[in-house]
Amino acid sequence: MLRKTRTCLTAGAAALTLALTLAAPATATDDYGLPSLTGTSQAMTGEEFRLGRAWLRQFHARAPIWQDPIAQEYVETLLGRLLPHSGLSDTRSVVVLVDSRTLNAFAVPGGVVGVNAGLFAFADEEDAVASVLAHELGHLSQRHYARGQARAEQTQLPAMAAMLAGMLIAASGGGDAGIAAAMGSQAAFIQDQLAYSRRFEQEADRLGLQTMAQAGFDPEAMVRMFRAMQRQVSLQGGNPPEFLLTHPLTESRISDAESRASQLEAIRPREGDPSYHLVRARALLTVNQRDPQQAATRLAQSDAPPAVRRYLDALIAAHNGQTDTALSQLDAIARELPDLAIIPASAADVAFQAGRYDDAIERSRRILRLMPGHMPATRTLGEALLQREPNEAYRILRDLSERRPEDPQVFALLAEAAGRSGREAWGHLARAEHMQLTGDIQRAIRQLDVARQVAEQSGDGNALARIEQRREAFVGYRETMEKFRYRVGAGVTPGALPHHRTYRSVYGGS
């Protein structure tokens, strides 16, 4: 059973992503280790970083987030394998999974990396997804956004704000209006920008290929991904999807990637691991919720191992309410593949979603004995314990919030655990953190005021001190959010932003 959200991204939102400079790691300033939106970055200006993090909060509020801790951990691990070879240093990334069937990935300031479920549905091999992420990291490591904006420093931040605004409009259902808001009227600059964009795209491809090889992935996968996109266009009668309209894929670019990939090889070739196929099965079910059998059909068209097909069958059984069948199948697969935590973690989640809380607790604890800190199992354990042992749930979710300070759902759960365990002031604080992470900063500040009153009445000095600390930070967040909204609301005059990127990558990055 996969956690889902309410709406779907438009194709315009998928087309409207950008790769910007990646921020240096944020500094923990409070009890939860939350990064400061008012901090600075050596990799970019402080205002760039703050605008990027303000955008993330608006994105959480308006975009359909794919709530799947198992897929989340997989993407974070995959990105972690690429980062050391990407040329980026001292980075703290935040992965956002988007519940959209459109093929897309993106990166924005502050180290935000987003991946659509549709990317997994499209790519039938792990190395292809790695090529997408490696390409985005190539843009980031070379600071393509900042380098391009250097030609018009006075318009850099307004351009960035307007671009981010367009993404939000599209993500919330504005469709083409979002693209228009982000692109602006720049006919006089299009030719120049396309030429400039091709250089950046080629550079990102080349660096991405090197990153892949050094991380142990097959560089040829990038070429295969390009060719698959070409075939998709051909199958659609020459009418390309919207992301290719703004992220052109040329034959010369493919040829260059092909030539360079042929000169590289994976430095540390990896043995076969079905983890990617398991996560792809989850993505296929996510984008085919109304017709789960379509997910099985799509998976069968790939070279996924038989165990993975049975895994998807189990997920479909759980989706259809056949919990006993699903758990029996997952347990059998887990015995065949004992080294893969994805499978028992999936079983624990199935048990939880079916309301079998004791079973979910037992299964999660079994995983954590073997793999302490395993995020999906920890989250399932915390959620299940909310129904049985709220005090223990609070302890576990508190620890998880410290490890995942940008995860709104963790704070939502923490607020519930605090309330159920009699920690009223801490519950209001956690609820305020959830609000600020989802862009509702004014309500978050009001929630902190409530938390302060409760802490004063109960004599909880520790809570009061931390609430006061967070309130000061929240006021700074509010200033950033207001500045972001002012910039995106003010708009720009046609032709005033010659460096709105028309070079955005074929993968949806800038």
Side-chain angles (χ1 to χ4, degrees):
M1 302 284 281
L2 306 183
R3 298 174 175 88
K4 284 179 59 62
T5 49
R6 299 182 300 276
T7 58
C8 291
L9 275 178
T10 64
L16 197 56
T17 51
L18 69 164
L20 306 175
T21 305
L22 192 65
T27 302
T29 61
D30 56 78
D31 51 308
Y32 292 118
L34 286 164
S36 173
L37 287 177
T38 56
T40 60
S41 166
Q42 295 179 354
M44 65 174 69
T45 68
E47 190 165 9
E48 281 182 302
F49 177 79
R50 291 191 294 271
L51 283 175
R53 285 304 171 104
W55 176 87
L56 174 61
R57 280 142 178 77
Q58 292 296 305
F59 190 78
H60 272 140
R62 301 175 68 172
I65 304 302
W66 178 20
Q67 292 291 343
D68 187 340
I70 292 172
Q72 181 86 24
E73 184 181 58
Y74 170 81
V75 176
E76 290 172 355
T77 301
L78 181 60
L79 192 68
R81 286 163 55 187
L82 292 166
L83 275 169
H85 309 284
S86 67
L88 291 163
S89 60
D90 297 326
T91 60
R92 179 179 295 178
S93 60
V94 177
V95 170
V96 181
L97 300 185
V98 186
D99 183 5
S100 170
R101 62 176 56 249
T102 308
L103 188 166
N104 199 27
F106 59 86
V108 297
V112 182
V113 178
V115 177
N116 282 19
L119 174 60
F120 289 94
F122 182 86
D124 60 6
E125 60 174 326
E126 180 181 59
D127 293 52
V129 173
S131 77
V132 174
L133 297 180
H135 174 94
E136 295 301 332
L137 293 177
H139 278 306
L140 295 174
S141 69
Q142 296 305 299
R143 306 190 70 233
H144 281 165
Y145 180 81
R147 284 166 54 191
Q149 293 296 341
R151 293 163 57 188
E153 292 183 2
Q154 297 303 314
T155 64
Q156 178 176 353
L157 290 172
M160 171 181 161
M163 181 72 74
L164 297 177
M167 292 175 66
L168 289 173
I169 292 170
S172 60
D176 291 343
I179 297 176
M183 297 294 290
S185 299
Q186 303 179 69
F189 301 96
I190 287 177
Q191 187 58 46
D192 171 67
Q193 289 302 297
L194 284 176
Y196 200 50
S197 73
R198 288 167 186 152
R199 291 198 295 273
F200 276 2
E201 285 301 290
Q202 196 170 60
E203 189 175 53
D205 288 344
R206 294 173 180 178
L207 289 167
L209 288 167
Q210 293 175 7
T211 297
M212 291 180 68
Q214 292 171 3
F217 296 96
D218 179 10
E220 296 284 352
M222 182 178 287
V223 180
R224 293 194 292 271
M225 191 67 163
F226 286 161
R227 296 297 184 193
M229 292 177 186
Q230 279 190 324
R231 288 193 297 273
Q232 184 186 52
V233 172
S234 177
L235 291 173
Q236 293 178 349
N239 182 27
E242 287 188 34
F243 69 89
L244 283 184
L245 292 175
T246 51
H247 310 40
L249 177 62
T250 63
E251 184 61 39
S252 62
R253 181 180 168 193
I254 298 176
S255 296
D256 181 74
E258 192 168 27
S259 174
R260 292 181 179 277
S262 67
Q263 302 173 42
L264 297 169
E265 60 179 328
I267 292 178
R268 292 180 296 278
R270 296 166 295 105
E271 297 182 0
D273 181 337
S275 294
Y276 173 76
H277 296 289
L278 293 169
V279 173
R280 182 170 186 251
R282 300 180 71 83
L284 286 168
L285 184 54
T286 292
V287 301
N288 291 283
Q289 282 286 316
R290 295 183 179 179
D291 184 8
Q293 195 53 46
Q294 182 63 27
T297 300
R298 287 284 304 279
L299 187 68
Q301 294 170 351
S302 69
D303 61 352
V308 175
R309 300 182 190 183
R310 287 160 46 213
Y311 172 80
L312 179 55
D313 289 341
L315 295 183
I316 293 174
H319 175 84
N320 293 331
Q322 300 168 352
T323 306
D324 288 333
T325 298
L327 292 176
S328 177
Q329 291 176 339
L330 289 171
D331 288 342
I333 300 169
R335 288 191 291 270
E336 296 174 22
L337 302 171
D339 297 328
L340 295 180
I342 288 178
I343 299 168
S346 300
D349 183 59
V350 165
F352 171 76
Q353 296 294 335
R356 300 185 181 187
Y357 303 125
D358 293 332
D359 191 12
I361 291 169
E362 180 183 351
R363 289 174 180 274
S364 298
R365 283 177 167 160
R366 192 183 309 151
I367 296 168
L368 291 170
R369 282 194 293 270
L370 298 173
M371 298 183 63
H374 185 259
M375 186 272 286
T378 300
R379 178 162 160 176
T380 298
L381 177 59
E383 288 187 90
L385 283 170
L386 275 171
Q387 312 301 322
R388 295 289 186 265
E389 303 174 42
N391 271 308
E392 182 65 8
Y394 177 81
R395 183 189 66 79
I396 289 170
L397 291 168
R398 166 83 180 207
D399 291 343
L400 187 60
S401 73
E402 292 173 351
R403 289 191 282 130
R404 305 190 63 79
E406 289 281 354
D407 191 331
Q409 293 307 311
V410 170
F411 281 97
L413 292 170
L414 180 62
E416 185 177 353
R420 293 192 183 193
S421 61
R423 298 174 172 88
E424 188 177 356
W426 293 99
H428 287 295
L429 174 57
R431 193 169 295 111
E433 298 290 1
H434 175 267
M435 290 176 179
Q436 70 90 4
L437 285 171
T438 53
D440 200 347
I441 188 63
Q442 195 58 43
R443 284 186 63 208
I445 291 175
R446 290 199 297 268
Q447 190 69 219
L448 281 183
D449 291 339
V450 173
R452 180 171 56 188
Q453 294 174 4
V454 172
E456 289 173 344
Q457 293 171 359
S458 63
D460 191 336
N462 289 333
L464 186 60
R466 293 182 177 180
I467 290 165
E468 293 291 350
Q469 182 184 44
R470 292 306 292 151
R471 195 182 194 286
E472 181 179 354
F474 277 32
V475 170
Y477 295 178
R478 180 172 60 188
E479 293 175 358
T480 297
M481 297 295 288
E482 289 174 350
K483 183 176 294 187
F484 175 78
R485 289 167 180 153
Y486 170 78
R487 289 190 182 281
V488 303
V492 293
T493 58
L497 303 177
H499 291 85
H500 270 185
R501 287 282 156 247
T502 51
Y503 72 79
R504 297 179 200 70
S505 82
V506 71
Y507 296 130
S510 157

